[in-house]
Structure formats: structure tokens, C-alpha cells
């Protein structure tokens, strides 16, 4: 048997996108990622597939040692044509990294930094948001609530902490 990837047909892209969404909702991001790669193989600039690919990869960030995942997400974000989406999904990447850090006892101290980075990108996205789109605001509020609930503070060696001490 010849083991190699098969190309999907161009007329099945919409159905494949729907399947990728379905697998994400079933908490099977690896399958969603694979479907997105199949779509992107025949349509490299398909914006819906790029977004789903970013989401599927970021769904997997909870696996320790996924540095290549972060790089792949950053590269995919660069392919987004919308500046708003670039800011929004960069914020989402940082937020998901922060939430992962909260689950790691030795890394909790870094969660604050990732949340702050996420907030910076959500703020940029908010400024250029499409009409009737408050996604970035919703994510911003979620980050703020988590920072407050978890009582997160800047690390003593971070510039945010030094600024706090100077005020």
C-alpha cells in the first residue's frame, strides 16, 4: 500500500471547513488541524481555513512543550489579510498561553505577562474593529476578570512591577 496524503477536491472546501469546525467543537483539535492543512494545501490563502487552523493549534497549547505550535500559529497569523484579525488572534494566542501557565504551578508567575500581552493586542484590535464586532472587548474583559480572580501580579523583576513601585 502506498502511504501518502491525498488532495481534497476544490468543490469540497466548504464541507471540509464545516467538518473542521465540528471536530473543534468535539474537542478533537488535531483532526481539525489536519483538515485545515488539507484545505490550505489546495487553497493556501483561504482565510476561513487559516483562522480555523490557528484556533485548532491554539486548542492544543495545553500540551507542554509545544513551542513549534506557537511558531506555526504566529506564521499563520501573518497570513491573515485583516489587520484586525492579526491583532485579535495574536491576543488570543497570548491569552491561551496565559491560561495554560495558570495550570502549571511553576509557571503561574508568567501568566500575568502573557495576559498583559494579550490585552495590548486586544486593545489594538478594538481600535479597528469591524462594526458590530465586540470580540476583542469580550476577550479583554475575560482577561481582566481572570487577572483579578487569580490575583495575578507582575513578577518582581518585570518592568510593570518597577513601574508600580515608582508610582
Amino acid at each position: 500500500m502506498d502511504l501518502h496524503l491525498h488532495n481534497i477536491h476544490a468543490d469540497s472546501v466548504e464541507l471540509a471547513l464545516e467538518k473542521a469546525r465540528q471536530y473543534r467543537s468535539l474537542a478533537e483539535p488535531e483532526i481539525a488541524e489536519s483538515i485545515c492543512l488539507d484545505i490550505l494545501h489546495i487553497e493556501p490563502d483561504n482565510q476561513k481555513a487559516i483562522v480555523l487552523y490557528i484556533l485548532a493549534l491554539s486548542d492544543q497549547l495545553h500540551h507542554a512543550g509545544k513551542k513549534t505550535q506557537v511558531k506555526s500559529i504566529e506564521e499563520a497569523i501573518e497570513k491573515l489579510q485583516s489587520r484586525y484579525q492579526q491583532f485579535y488572534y495574536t491576543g488570543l494566542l497570548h491569552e491561551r498561553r496565559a491560561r495554560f501557565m495558570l495550570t502549571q504551578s511553576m509557571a503561574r508567575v508568567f501568566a500575568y505577562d502573557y495576559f498583559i500581552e494579550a490585552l495590548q493586542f486586544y486593545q489594538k484590535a478594538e481600535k479597528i474593529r469591524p462594526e458590530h464586532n465586540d470580540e476583542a472587548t469580550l476577550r479583554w474583559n475575560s482577561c481582566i476578570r481572570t487577572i483579578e480572580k487569580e490575583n495575578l501580579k507582575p513578577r518582581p523583576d518585570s518592568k510593570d512591577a518597577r513601574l508600580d513601585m515608582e508610582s
Side-chain angles (χ1 to χ4, degrees), residues 74-90:
E74 290 170 338
E75 288 169 359
I77 289 170
E78 288 175 18
K79 293 178 183 175
L80 291 170
Q81 295 166 353
S82 158
R83 197 76 180 125
Y84 166 80
Q85 283 188 323
Q86 289 175 346
F87 289 147
Y88 177 79
Y89 288 106
T90 301

Side-chain angles (χ1 to χ4, degrees), residues 142-161:
S142 177
C143 290
I144 296 296
R145 287 185 179 103
T146 301
I147 290 169
E148 290 171 351
K149 180 179 141 215
E150 298 291 335
N151 197 27
L152 299 177
K153 304 280 185 227
R155 292 187 331 266
D157 63 337
S158 77
K159 70 177 171 101
D160 290 339

Side-chain angles (χ1 to χ4, degrees), residues 102-159:
L102 288 176
T103 68
Q104 309 299 301
S105 58
M106 298 301 285
R108 276 184 64 86
V109 295
F110 298 102
Y112 179 86
D113 296 332
Y114 281 116
F115 276 121
I116 294 303
E117 288 182 45
L119 290 170
Q120 290 168 345
F121 280 98
Y122 289 147
Q123 191 170 42
K124 289 178 184 180
E126 240 182 325
K127 288 179 182 172
I128 60 172
R129 73 179 181 83
E131 193 175 352
H132 308 297
N133 182 337
D134 280 335
E135 285 175 314
T137 303
L138 296 170
R139 301 304 302 207
W140 170 280
N141 291 344
S142 177
C143 290
I144 296 296
R145 287 185 179 103
T146 301
I147 290 169
E148 290 171 351
K149 180 179 141 215
E150 298 291 335
N151 197 27
L152 299 177
K153 304 280 185 227
R155 292 187 331 266
D157 63 337
S158 77
K159 70 177 171 101

Side-chain angles (χ1 to χ4, degrees), residues 4-21:
H4 65 280
L5 297 174
H6 293 209
N7 288 336
I8 63 170
H9 298 94
D11 62 358
S12 69
V13 167
E14 286 305 314
L15 181 61
L17 284 167
E18 189 53 44
K19 288 288 180 197
R21 284 186 203 96

